[in-house]
Amino acid sequence: MNNGVLGSVARIQEIGAQAAKVFIDRAELIDVIELALICGEHAIVLGPPGTAKSALVRYFAQALGQEFFRIVLNPDLPREELIGPINPSALREGRWERAWAGLATCSIAFLDEIGKASPQVMNLTLDAMEERKIRSGNTDRALPLHAMFSAANETINTESPAIWDRFTLRLVVRRVAEISDFREMLNEAWGASSPPSVPITLEELRAMRAACLDMAAHACQSRS
């Protein structure tokens, strides 16, 4: 890795070190988020409510100065809630254009309860994760998406294993068990809404991902 990429990695680790002081007993989750952001991979976290799953991802996104999108999925949620509605002005003029928003414009996404999404939304999500693009009408839109995070309160029950394949990183989290840690968590909770400012550009995030892919390719070649 060159010095620029190493500097970006150091900044993400700096955020993780600050997060560890605020989010008590969440070291593994912090490590997973750091790794996902450095490598540009997707991560899923299984665990009960109140275990800081979405709060930690938001903390990192705000610290990095990246566009963040969060949504809770359910079987009745249409795809427009994820990527924006059809533009009515364009439609009146006979043009099929979408007012892109949400997943179509963010670099870091958090899709809660992904196992409860409708098949239509699930397919859209799979394409976004794999290809970093989505299709609307006859148009393919490239996404600025760098990493997608998801969470569920229970094991995902889905007929398709494809969703698991897209999540390179998977983690199970538990509630804070020790009473001393719980007290410390209450004392430090105010810091969750005040992340440090350690901005990284989308280009720097992509450079880290490219470096990681290059390292993986070289590792595979050396084994063959």
Side-chain angles (χ1 to χ4, degrees):
M1 291 187 180
N2 60 43
N3 290 336
V5 169
L6 290 175
S8 298
V9 171
R11 277 179 281 170
I12 288 178
Q13 292 175 328
E14 178 185 344
I15 298 169
Q18 294 299 315
K21 298 176 182 178
V22 178
F23 295 88
I24 308 304
D25 192 28
R26 298 290 84 140
E28 284 188 326
L29 181 53
I30 290 171
D31 287 345
V32 165
I33 295 172
E34 285 184 9
L35 188 58
L37 292 172
I38 290 169
C39 298
E41 294 292 341
H42 309 303
I44 187 167
V45 185
L46 302 179
T51 47
K53 299 185 291 293
S54 64
L56 255 170
V57 176
R58 185 188 298 274
Y59 184 94
F60 271 86
Q62 290 179 344
L64 292 170
Q66 290 296 313
E67 183 75 18
F68 177 68
F69 172 67
R70 177 185 180 273
I71 193 168
V72 180
L73 301 177
N74 65 69
D76 299 321
L77 193 79
R79 55 187 284 149
E80 284 73 20
E81 292 291 331
L82 270 78
I83 60 175
I86 300 301
N87 188 330
S89 298
L91 196 60
R92 283 193 294 269
E93 297 173 1
R95 292 181 288 111
W96 182 270
E97 294 181 1
R98 192 175 292 276
W100 297 105
L103 183 59
T105 59
C106 73
S107 51
I108 299 175
F110 189 94
L111 273 55
D112 208 350
E113 298 295 345
I114 193 167
K116 297 178 180 178
S118 67
Q120 183 187 46
V121 168
M122 186 71 76
N123 289 336
L124 181 150
T125 302
L126 291 173
D127 284 345
M129 296 169 72
E130 181 70 15
E131 304 292 340
R132 294 322 200 271
K133 67 180 182 181
I134 50 179
R135 189 167 185 81
S136 177
N138 296 320
T139 303
D140 283 329
R141 178 180 174 86
L143 303 181
L145 181 67
H146 177 69
M148 181 185 293
F149 298 85
S150 189
N153 298 330
E154 66 279 323
T155 302
I156 293 177
N157 181 18
T158 177
E159 296 179 358
S160 172
I163 191 65
W164 284 110
D165 293 340
R166 302 298 195 277
F167 288 112
T168 309
L169 301 167
R170 307 162 191 168
L171 179 69
V172 176
V173 296
R174 309 294 183 191
R175 296 188 187 279
V176 173
E178 299 296 329
I179 188 64
S180 58
D181 288 339
F182 185 77
R183 288 171 178 157
E184 187 176 0
M185 179 185 72
L186 295 179
N187 289 333
E188 301 295 338
W190 62 271
S193 59
S194 302
S197 178
V198 191
I200 290 181
T201 66
L202 184 56
E203 288 70 26
E204 288 173 309
L205 290 174
R206 287 172 173 167
M208 283 191 296
R209 181 170 185 256
C212 290
L213 290 173
D214 187 58
M215 290 172 61
H218 279 83
C220 291
Q221 291 173 0
S222 64
R223 291 178 183 177
S224 61

